[in-house]
Structure formats: structure tokens, C-alpha cells
């Protein structure tokens, strides 16, 4: 009997594997909605704008964090038992230190690839927190936190808060002089809590500071508890991203009822995989050539020593700055001392900042008077078209930046040879005057950009040429905008403030709401914009969004131009870009 050739045997094996895959998928589909869910997931459209990759940057740096953290866990010993160092690093040989610090030195100098992995881990933590922060700024300034994504905003903010705590716990594990100083500050913050401060500090440190259990307690929190919470929240966040419709920038062919972008397979998957390898490669290069946290230079932690120019990582630098700027102020009541100089900047201020961030989506929704009966908006706002929101965001960034710079006032004073006290008072003045000035400047800049857009829409973009008529008048030359850009400008929408309806009278709460709405949107839209497109306005495709019941409390109207006059609405090019129409919510 003649045996089959190699090619035929290969075809037989391929057919057998195909039949086995079909049977396995059928068995899975009988128990789970694999076919329907997989088809929807594989063909899901993702916007192609670069700003939507910030979330993926945070995700992939988190993956690198987990991988490098698992490797470091195999060699790190969190024991605080004292020993004398006998390793290869000569300057510290014979010095007393904790087992945790000696273990960190062993990873850095004796474990193969340990120093590289440790520095990649540290850089990945910095990139992770930075990417989350910038991603949330993009969401805030573009209004992507609005319903139905307000819950996802809360999840993302909780992720950022947990990442801060995770970074601080990992920063404290080596038990070097710098991290020990940070733990000493944390213990002082705990002691500032009224009544319960002493008990909290004793419980966390296992006795009087510095104790012998703090590193052993932080270790499981850092490698088990917080990573588990982060993984769970990341999973919920990604599920909501898949279930909810993506936001996208306004443009031809884009509306509140579709998503224009790349399909998940193969275009988005290829881009996203490439981004992962780019992030991992960049972190590897940083870990190899950019030194970070050289604990051997700091030495082991001893409570009686504090090094100069002690600076934490950037994500907790604002707490350092707030502690340095707060004047000394204490109050003694009934035998209890309230340390306002620690309680206010390190407890009340962070709680207030994160509380405002948690509440802002619901506050803006209350001010704008959005009605749940109408279709939710999925198109991103241009920051210039929301001048008050953009101004508030820039004011918050200014406030944070002043605190971050104040955290290094000693380094700045030494570097620029200025008075430390004078620099501290200058930062105090900037902390009070800087945010309002940044708000006003940003608001007027946004209004000026709106007027410039209206001028471009009405007359076109200047060419730099000047024409002189027969009468001698000088006229600047203009070039019409491209159809797609003109469509995008004409389709911009401007919310109007709430107007009290005829049902009145209203209570204080409703009057406050109307007053805040007027403060938010009294300059919207500018007169120049109305002049440019007022005679060309026609209803847009999202009629429900346009008519949100202006003229009655609890509803706000957005004024826009819909599709735009005379604009060409090209169909999305057939090059892997996909427009998906989700179900109505």
C-alpha cells in the first residue's frame, strides 16, 4: 500500500486540527455566548486618534510592572532583623542594616539582571502613574466623564488613588535612608489625626516608631492586596470600555450613534501590540541607561539621620510641598493637641482634592441640567468650547504644580542661591494667587480661540498676501478652509445656560443652579460665532441632543449647526476603518 506524501499528511493534520477547533468552539459556545460575544468584540471599532492610546500606555506599563515585580519577589526578603553587611559593595561592608535593605543590595549587585529589572520596575511605576494622570486629564478636558461614563471616571480615579498608595508602599520596602524618611513623615501624618492618631500609628507600625514590623506588613500589601484590587478595577474598567460606546472627536461621518475608527482585529490589535513592545522596550532602555533610586548611595535607615535634598517620587511630591508651605499652627483643647500644620496639608487637603474630583461629573451634570430622557453625548468637547471647565482644570494643575515645586524648595534655594524663607513665602503667594490667575488667563484664551475659529469659518485662513484696490484700500487675502475642517468647525456645539421657566417661583437650590449655569455658559456661544454661522444653521442629525428643552429649569440647550452648511460629509475610507452603530441606550 502506498504511503501518503509529506504534503498530504500535512493537509490531513491541518484538517484534523480544524475539526478539533470547531468541536472545541462549539462546546464552548453551547455553554457561553462565545460566538455572539466574540464577533462583537472582534469587530468593535476603536478611534484612531493618538490621545486614545494614553489608557493603553498605562495598561502596558502596568503589565511590565507585574512581570518585573514577580521576578523581584523571588529574591526580596522583607525581614527587619538587623545584620552586618558582608556583600560585594565595599563602602557598606560591615555596616549594620536590616535584612530588607541587605536583600535590596543583593538584588542590585549579586542577582543576575537584578539591578536592570529593579530599575525597569521603578521606571514602569513612574510611567504607569504618569499615564493614568495624563489619561484622566484628557478625559476631563474633553468631557468624556459624562453619562454613561461617570462610573468609569470614578473607577479610573480610584485606580489612580490605589496606584499612589501602591507606589508609596513599594518605595518604602528597601528600608533605605530616603524611604525611611518617607515612612517617618507618614507616621507624623497618622499622629496628626485627632483622637485616633496614636492608635492608628501604633497599629500600622506595630509599636513605637520605627518598630520591627512595618516592612513585613507593607510587603503583602504591595505584592498581594493592592495589585489584586488594581487588577480587579482594571478588568471592570476595560469591560465598561468595551460595553459602552467610545467617545470620539467631531468630524465628517461621526455622530452620537456610531464610532469611526479601526476594527479590533486586525488593525487595532496590530497597533496595540506594537505599542506594548514599544513601551516595554523604552522601559528596558531607561532601566539600562538611566539610574533611578540608587539605594546604596543613601545607606540603611536610622531614625536619628535625615539626608538633605530628600525628594520623594513625583506622585507624592505635592504632599511634601503642602507640608513645607503650611505655617506652624497648633491648637490644644481639653488636653488634646490638634496639629493643623500637618493635618490640613496632609489629610484635609488631599481628601478635599480627591473629593472634588469624585463629585465633579455629577456637579457639572447638575449645573448643565442634562435630561436623562435624551440621547447621551458621545462626541468629545473641544477644550476651548468649554472655557470654564478648561479654566478650572488648568487652575487645578497650577495648584498642583506649585505644591510639587514647593516640595523641592531646599534644592531650588541651594541651586539658584536664593533665600529659603523668601522662596517659601513666594510659593505661598503663588499657591493663593496662581490658580485664579491661571483660570482667568485660560478662560480668556479659550474665548479668543473661539473667535479665531469663527473668523476662519467666515472668511477662511489668512494667506499673508495683501491686495490694494483701485480706491487704495488694503484687503488681506484669505484661503477657504478644507471641506473636512470647515465641517468640523461648523459642527461645534455650545451649551446655553439654564433659563427659569414660567412655572416659578423657585427655591434657593434652583436659583443657585441657574446662577452657576450662567457663570459656566454666559459667554457661549460668542457673538462672532453666531455671526459666522447664524444664517447657515440647520438641524443636525442628533436632534434629540439639540433640543434639550431650553427655557425650563433642569434642561439646557446646546446651540450648534449640525452637519454644517455646504459641507461635504465623506464616507469613511475603506482601509480598515470601521463605523459601528451601537444599540440605543
Amino acid at each position: 500500500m502506498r504511503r501518503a506524501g509529506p504534503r498530504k499528511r500535512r493537509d490531513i493534520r491541518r484538517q484534523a486540527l480544524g475539526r478539533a477547533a470547531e468541536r472545541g468552539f462549539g462546546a464552548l459556545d453551547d455553554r457561553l455566548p462565545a460566538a455572539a460575544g466574540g464577533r462583537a468584540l472582534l469587530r468593535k471599532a476603536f478611534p484612531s486618534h493618538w490621545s486614545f492610546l494614553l489608557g493603553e500606555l498605562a495598561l502596558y506599563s502596568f503589565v511590565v510592572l507585574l512581570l518585573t515585580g514577580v521576578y523581584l519577589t523571588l529574591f526580596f526578603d522583607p525581614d527587619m532583623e538587623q545584620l552586618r553587611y558582608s556583600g560585594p559593595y565595599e563602602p557598606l561592608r560591615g555596616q549594620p542594616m536590616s535584612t530588607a535593605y541587605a536583600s535590596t543590595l543583593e538584588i542590585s549587585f549579586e542577582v543576575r539582571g537584578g539591578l536592570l529589572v529593579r530599575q525597569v520596575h521603578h521606571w514602569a511605576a513612574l510611567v504607569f502613574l504618569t499615564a493614568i494622570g495624563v489619561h484622566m486629564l484628557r478625559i476631563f478636558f474633553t468631557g468624556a466623564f459624562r453619562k454613561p461614563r461617570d462610573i468609569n471616571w470614578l473607577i479610573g480615579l480610584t485606580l489612580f488613588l490605589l496606584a499612589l498608595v501602591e507606589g508609596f508602599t513599594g518605595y518604602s520596602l528597601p528600608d533605605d535612608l530616603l524611604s525611611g524618611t518617607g515612612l517617618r513623615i507618614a507616621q507624623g501624618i497618622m499622629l496628626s489625626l485627632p483622637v485616633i492618631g496614636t492608635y492608628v500609628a501604633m497599629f500600622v507600625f506595630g509599636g513605637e516608631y520605627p518598630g520591627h514590623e512595618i516592612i513585613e506588613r507593607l510587603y503583602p500589601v504591595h505584592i498581594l492586596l493592592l495589585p489584586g484590587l488594581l487588577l480587579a478595577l482594571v478588568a471592570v474598567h476595560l469591560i465598561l470600555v468595551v460595553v459602552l460606546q467610545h467617545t470620539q472627536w467631531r468630524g465628517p461621518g461621526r455622530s452620537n450613534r456610531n464610532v469611526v475608527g479601526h476594527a479590533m482585529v486586525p488593525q487595532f490589535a496590530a497597533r496595540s501590540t506594537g505599542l506594548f513592545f514599544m513601551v516595554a522596550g523604552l522601559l528596558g532602555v531607561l532601566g539600562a541607561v538611566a539610574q533611578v533610586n540608587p539605594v546604596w548611595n543613601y545607606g540603611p535607615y536610622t531614625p536619628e539621620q535625615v539626608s538633605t535634598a530628600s525628594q520623594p517620587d513625583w506622585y507624592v511630591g505635592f504632599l511634601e510641598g503642602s507640608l513645607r508651605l503650611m505655617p506652624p499652627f497648633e491648637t490644644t483643647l481639653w488636653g488634646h493637641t490638634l496639629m493643623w500644620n500637618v493635618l490640613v496639608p496632609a489629610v484635609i487637603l488631599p481628601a478635599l482634592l480627591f473629593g472634588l474630583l469624585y463629585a465633579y461629573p455629577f456637579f457639572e451634570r447638575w449645573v448643565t441640567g442634562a435630561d436623562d430622557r435624551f440621547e447621551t453625548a458621545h462626541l468629545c468637547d473641544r477644550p476651548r468650547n468649554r472655557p470654564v471647565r478648561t479654566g478650572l482644570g488648568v487652575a487645578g494643575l497650577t495648584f498642583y504644580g506649585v505644591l510639587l515645586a514647593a516640595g523641592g524648595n531646599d534644592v531650588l534655594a541651594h541651586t539658584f542661591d536664593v533665600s529659603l524663607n523668601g522662596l517659601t513665602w513666594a510659593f505661598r503667594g503663588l499657591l493663593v494667587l496662581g490658580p485664579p490667575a491661571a483660570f482667568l488667563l485660560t478662560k480668556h484664551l479659550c474665548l479668543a480661540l473661539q473667535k479665531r475659529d469663527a473668523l476662519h469659518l467666515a472668511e477662511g485662513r489668512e494667506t499673508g498676501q495683501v491686495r490694494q484696490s483701485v480706491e487704495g484700500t488694503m484687503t488681506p487675502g484669505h484661503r477657504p478652509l478644507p471641506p473636512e475642517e470647515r465641517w468640523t468647525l461648523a459642527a461645534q456645539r455650545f451649551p446655553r445656560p439654564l433659563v427659569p421657566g414660567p412655572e416659578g417661583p423657585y427655591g434657593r437650590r434652583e436659583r443657585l443652579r441657574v446662577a452657576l449655569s450662567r457663570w459656566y455658559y454666559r459667554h457661549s456661544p460668542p457673538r462672532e460665532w453666531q455671526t459666522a454661522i447664524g444664517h447657515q444653521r440647520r438641524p443636525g442629525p442628533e436632534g434629540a441632543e439639540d433640543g434639550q428643552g431650553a427655557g425650563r429649569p433642569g434642561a439646557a440647550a446646546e446651540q450648534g449647526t449640525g452637519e454644517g452648511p455646504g459641507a461635504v460629509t465623506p464616507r469613511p475610507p475603506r482601509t480598515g476603518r470601521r463605523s459601528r452603530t451601537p444599540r440605543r441606550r
Side-chain angles (χ1 to χ4, degrees):
M1 184 175 180
R2 187 176 180 181
R3 299 180 60 185
R7 180 177 299 179
K8 189 173 181 179
R9 290 198 300 270
R10 186 166 56 249
D11 293 340
I12 293 174
R13 287 195 300 268
R14 188 176 300 169
Q15 293 174 3
L17 289 175
R19 289 192 296 269
E22 290 179 1
R23 288 194 299 270
F25 184 80
L28 180 63
D29 192 42
D30 292 338
R31 295 163 176 81
L32 298 173
R39 186 182 303 110
L41 181 62
L42 294 179
R43 302 310 297 166
K44 180 176 175 58
F46 289 83
S48 57
H49 195 269
W50 65 267
S51 61
F52 294 94
L53 299 178
L54 294 171
E56 297 177 52
L57 184 62
L59 175 63
Y60 295 146
S61 58
F62 182 57
V63 172
V64 175
L65 263 176
L66 293 178
L67 296 177
T68 55
V70 169
Y71 184 81
L72 295 175
T73 304
L74 302 176
F75 304 100
F76 183 74
D77 186 356
D79 194 359
M80 293 192 69
E81 182 181 355
Q82 294 292 309
L83 53 81
R84 289 194 176 273
Y85 180 69
S86 58
Y89 189 63
E90 183 66 29
L92 290 178
R93 189 171 297 171
Q95 295 292 325
M97 59 183 63
S98 66
T99 305
Y101 184 71
S103 175
T104 306
L105 294 178
E106 180 184 359
I107 293 174
S108 302
F109 297 116
E110 299 181 60
V111 175
R112 186 179 298 275
L115 180 59
L116 174 64
V117 175
R118 186 174 149 265
Q119 296 202 143
V120 170
H121 187 75
H122 199 119
W123 278 114
L126 296 177
V127 173
F128 176 55
L129 281 155
T130 304
I132 293 179
V134 178
H135 178 58
M136 297 196 67
L137 287 177
R138 198 275 300 176
I139 293 175
F140 178 84
F141 284 116
T142 61
F145 54 79
R146 296 171 295 176
K147 182 186 175 182
R149 299 172 191 85
D150 43 8
I151 301 300
N152 228 6
W153 166 265
L154 301 182
I155 293 175
L157 192 58
T158 306
L159 273 171
F160 184 68
L161 186 59
L162 289 177
L164 290 178
V165 181
E166 173 77 346
F168 179 76
T169 56
Y171 177 82
S172 304
L173 288 181
D175 197 31
D176 60 290
L177 184 58
L178 187 61
S179 65
T181 303
L183 282 175
R184 179 60 170 168
I185 296 174
Q187 191 250 1
I189 294 173
M190 297 174 193
L191 290 176
S192 70
L193 297 174
V195 182
I196 63 173
T198 304
Y199 302 99
V200 172
M202 293 284 288
F203 172 76
V204 171
F205 287 88
E208 291 290 341
Y209 181 84
H212 299 283
E213 302 178 6
I214 182 62
I215 303 299
E216 297 178 0
R217 294 183 175 186
L218 289 179
Y219 187 61
V221 172
H222 180 72
I223 67 170
L224 291 177
L225 178 60
L226 292 178
L229 293 175
L230 288 172
L231 281 173
L233 289 179
V234 166
V236 175
H237 184 77
L238 293 179
I239 291 173
L240 290 178
V241 168
V242 172
V243 172
L244 300 176
Q245 180 178 339
H246 269 286
T247 57
Q248 58 184 344
W249 294 102
R250 296 183 186 271
R254 299 181 180 132
S255 68
N256 281 329
R257 294 186 291 271
N258 70 352
V259 177
V260 178
H262 295 291
M264 171 171 278
V265 177
Q267 290 83 10
F268 178 77
R271 294 181 63 199
S272 188
T273 304
L275 179 64
F276 168 72
F277 285 112
M278 290 176 61
V279 171
L282 179 61
L283 292 175
V285 171
L286 286 175
V289 303
Q291 188 181 77
V292 60
N293 198 22
V295 295
W296 53 88
N297 287 339
Y298 307 143
Y301 177 68
T302 53
E304 68 274 7
Q305 294 182 0
V306 177
S307 62
T308 59
S310 297
Q311 303 297 318
D313 287 335
W314 73 267
Y315 46 85
V316 291
F318 75 101
L319 286 178
E320 180 80 12
S322 62
L323 286 169
R324 297 189 183 196
L325 292 186
M326 182 68 183
F329 183 50
E330 297 179 357
T331 301
T332 302
L333 296 174
W334 301 292
H336 295 279
T337 301
L338 297 178
M339 299 184 298
W340 300 107
N341 54 335
V342 179
L343 181 65
V344 171
V347 178
I348 297 178
L349 179 63
L352 184 61
L353 289 177
F354 278 95
L356 291 175
L357 290 175
Y358 274 110
Y360 185 82
F362 309 99
F363 170 75
E364 185 174 294
R365 184 171 181 81
W366 178 69
V367 169
T368 56
D371 199 326
D372 294 342
R373 294 175 298 171
F374 296 106
E375 184 179 10
T376 54
H378 299 294
L379 295 175
C380 292
D381 296 329
R382 296 185 82 191
R384 66 185 64 180
N385 293 342
R386 300 295 187 270
V388 173
R389 180 205 295 160
T390 305
L392 290 175
V394 174
L397 287 176
T398 304
F399 187 82
Y400 177 85
V402 172
L403 291 180
L404 185 62
N409 59 353
D410 55 342
V411 179
L412 294 175
H414 179 267
T415 303
F416 296 101
D417 194 19
V418 296
S419 170
L420 178 61
N421 291 333
L423 190 62
T424 301
W425 277 103
F427 278 129
R428 289 172 179 171
L430 282 176
L431 191 65
V432 176
L433 302 178
F439 171 79
L440 295 176
L441 179 62
T442 303
K443 180 180 177 181
H444 287 287
L445 180 60
C446 290
L447 295 175
L449 290 174
Q450 290 182 21
K451 295 178 181 179
R452 191 195 67 169
D453 289 344
L455 184 63
H456 285 173
L457 186 62
E459 302 179 0
R461 188 172 285 110
E462 295 182 358
T463 61
Q465 298 177 351
V466 179
R467 299 179 180 179
Q468 184 176 10
S469 65
V470 178
E471 293 82 5
T473 58
M474 310 294 287
T475 305
H478 292 82
R479 180 179 64 255
L481 296 177
E484 183 174 352
E485 184 178 353
R486 186 170 180 270
W487 193 99
T488 303
L489 286 179
Q492 299 302 314
R493 301 180 185 274
F494 298 89
R496 285 184 171 180
L498 296 177
V499 179
E503 294 86 0
Y506 304 103
R508 293 182 179 179
R509 183 175 180 271
E510 195 62 36
R511 289 198 299 269
L512 175 63
R513 185 183 185 187
V514 172
L516 288 174
S517 180
R518 288 176 179 173
W519 178 67
Y520 256 71
Y521 303 121
R522 62 181 176 180
H523 296 293
S524 181
R527 291 191 301 270
E528 292 80 3
W529 196 275
Q530 295 177 350
T531 303
I533 62 176
H535 65 284
Q536 301 173 337
R537 186 180 299 116
R538 62 173 179 170
E542 301 89 38
E545 184 188 357
D546 289 342
Q548 292 186 359
R552 60 179 175 83
E558 287 196 42
Q559 180 169 340
T561 59
E563 292 273 329
V568 179
T569 307
R571 302 179 67 179
R574 300 180 182 273
T575 57
R577 298 173 66 86
R578 183 172 179 84
S579 175
R580 183 178 70 88
T581 302
R583 63 182 183 273
R584 180 181 291 273
R585 299 189 181 278

